Amino acid sequence: MASVAAPVITVNGTVIPASRIAAEAQNHPAASGRPGDAWRAAARALAIRQLLLDEALRRGVAAEPEDLGGARRETEEEARIRALLDVALDVAPPSEAEVMAEWQAHPERYRSPDLWDASHILCAAAPSDAKARAAAEDRAGQILARLEREPEAFAVLARSESDCGSREAGGALGQIATGQMVPEFEAALAAVPEGGLSSEPVASRFGFHIIKVHAHAPGQPLPFATVRPVIAEALERAAWARASRDLVAQLVSAARIEGIAMEES
């Protein structure tokens, strides 16, 4: 069967080369069996880039490329787009009242981290090895069943059964703060009561864990003065993102774009 040629993408008469779209597509993930999603996302991204470059040209905006740290330096196109956004987006810093309102509306976002004193026993298995995963889960289940009968044997079993370096300390992980462990382990950790064990083996990318929580200190709300700079920066970033989306929407609505629908289906 003959392959179907990709449509020619033009933005106000400027052709976006298919080779450039193919290269850009590497930066856009697609669901399995849907490679066309990555191609379309890349085409839209390059169309928007061309619109911004055209707008910079229309406004007479120019800029010198800047160093971005290390060996990275802006391209001339990146510099012009940055300069255009500096000129076109008028984003005011949030007011004190807006920052305070955000802090009061979402106090759970601005807390000190939870702290746990916990231990674990790891039955290790790589995520890609289904046979080893099944064996590890079965072994962890057997260890957990024994611990339910003999909870005082945790440290002894950790030293003899765990595949983690913490085995030397009887499985003790020490003090753990929110964000220090992989998400799947942390979610299970949060569900274990003080003095308790995980109710079943906990799957993670490392294998299967049996978790014991010795103590848990919930995070506390942080004072406004402490979090004010963080909230203000987040609100300003959000306002900048909205303004940039509005600018792009205006440019798209006024442009002649052929070969790609700019709205995702």
Side-chain angles (χ1 to χ4, degrees):
M1 178 185 292
S3 60
V4 178
V8 176
I9 311 296
T10 63
V11 178
N12 292 328
T14 299
V15 175
I16 308 294
S19 58
R20 193 171 183 189
I21 296 173
E24 173 67 20
Q26 308 304 310
N27 301 320
H28 297 270
S32 177
R34 294 176 59 90
D37 290 353
W39 188 92
R40 285 185 287 273
R44 292 188 190 100
L46 291 175
I48 290 170
R49 187 182 186 90
Q50 187 62 49
L51 287 173
L52 292 170
L53 291 170
D54 289 349
E55 182 66 8
L57 181 62
R58 187 185 73 80
R59 296 189 185 212
V61 173
E64 286 294 320
E66 295 182 351
D67 288 327
L68 300 176
R72 179 84 167 86
R73 185 173 175 81
E74 285 182 318
T75 65
E76 290 187 5
E77 287 188 350
E78 289 170 339
R80 272 184 298 178
I81 290 172
R82 170 180 51 78
L84 169 67
L85 297 178
D86 286 344
V87 169
L89 303 184
D90 184 15
V91 178
S95 68
E96 195 74 4
E98 289 171 326
V99 178
M100 175 66 78
E102 168 66 17
W103 179 66
Q104 293 174 334
H106 304 287
E108 73 283 354
R109 296 179 184 174
Y110 309 106
R111 299 168 61 88
S112 61
D114 281 30
L115 296 175
W116 289 271
D117 178 12
S119 300
H120 83 141
I121 296 171
L122 171 64
C123 297
S128 59
D129 190 335
K131 185 176 180 180
R133 296 284 291 185
E137 184 176 16
D138 182 65
R139 184 161 70 92
Q142 293 179 40
I143 296 169
L144 181 57
R146 181 173 171 185
L147 285 171
E148 288 170 347
R149 298 190 303 270
E150 306 173 55
E152 72 283 355
F154 192 97
V156 172
L157 285 174
R159 289 188 179 96
S160 63
E161 300 291 344
S162 183
D163 297 322
C164 176
S166 63
R167 64 186 293 164
E168 302 300 330
L173 295 170
Q175 189 178 87
I176 304 168
T178 303
Q180 288 185 332
M181 309 300 282
V182 293
E184 57 269 33
F185 185 96
E186 193 167 295
L189 184 68
V192 179
E194 282 191 333
L197 291 171
S198 49
S199 59
E200 59 186 18
V202 174
S204 83
R205 64 200 71 180
F206 303 112
F208 288 85
H209 310 256
I210 299 160
I211 300 172
K212 180 170 185 173
V213 172
H214 307 289
H216 174 215
Q220 299 300 312
L222 294 169
F224 178 71
T226 300
V227 297
R228 186 201 173 285
V230 175
I231 298 173
E233 182 181 355
L235 290 177
E236 190 164 356
R237 283 200 309 268
W240 191 93
R242 288 193 299 271
S244 63
R245 286 195 298 269
D246 290 345
L247 172 63
V248 168
Q250 292 168 14
L251 295 176
V252 168
S253 66
R256 188 178 73 258
I257 300 174
E258 299 176 348
I260 184 68
M262 295 303 288
E263 301 80 17
E264 294 186 27
S265 58

